[in-house]
Amino acid sequence: DDWRLNPKLSIQGGFTYLDWLNAYWRSDQNMDRIQKNFEDTEGALTELMLASYNSGPARVNKALKEMGPWYLNAPDLVEARKYVNFVTSYCYHFSSEAIADENAT
C-alpha cells in the first residue's frame, strides 16, 4: 500500500494501467467490436479506456456487448459515465480548440 502514498509510484502505476487498458481494447477481438459500433474508432477507444479506468474493463466490455454504442447508459456504469464526461470536458477546456473559441469571442 506504500505506492499509494508515493506520488511518483502512484503516477507510474496509473500509466502502467493505462498502457494495459490500451493493449486490452486494441486486441483484435475488441477492435472488431469497436469498429462495428463506432465511426470514430480513436474517440471510442479513449472513451472506453476512461470508462475502464473508472469501472474496470470487464464491466465496460460487458456493457458494450449488451448495449453497443450506448454502453455508457448501462445502470452499473453511472459513475463511469460521470467520470468520462468530467475528463473529456476538462480536456476540452484546456484544448487549443477551446482556447480558439474563447479568443474568437
Side-chain angles (χ1 to χ4, degrees):
D1 289 338
D2 290 341
W3 65 269
R4 293 183 202 168
L5 302 175
N6 182 321
K8 183 178 178 181
L9 291 177
S10 183
I11 291 169
Q12 286 175 335
F15 277 113
T16 300
Y17 187 47
L18 284 171
D19 282 341
W20 185 88
L21 288 172
N22 186 47
Y24 173 84
W25 284 110
R26 288 184 184 276
S27 71
D28 292 340
Q29 181 179 0
N30 287 329
M31 282 303 293
D32 286 343
R33 186 174 303 111
I34 292 166
Q35 290 169 342
K36 287 177 186 173
N37 282 289
F38 302 97
E39 288 183 30
D40 178 10
T41 304
E42 288 302 313
L45 280 166
T46 299
E47 195 175 83
L48 288 161
M49 287 177 57
L50 288 171
S52 297
Y53 192 86
N54 181 266
S55 293
R59 183 179 293 167
V60 173
N61 204 353
K62 179 180 178 239
L64 180 61
K65 287 176 186 176
E66 292 174 357
M67 301 180 71
W70 301 277
Y71 74 97
L72 272 177
N73 292 323
D76 59 341
L77 291 181
V78 172
E79 289 301 318
R81 183 172 54 249
K82 291 178 190 175
Y83 181 76
V84 169
N85 289 335
F86 175 76
V87 173
T88 54
S89 68
Y90 196 71
C91 289
Y92 174 79
H93 178 72
F94 290 102
S95 72
S96 57
E97 185 179 332
I99 292 169
D101 288 347
E102 194 173 286
N103 289 337
T105 57

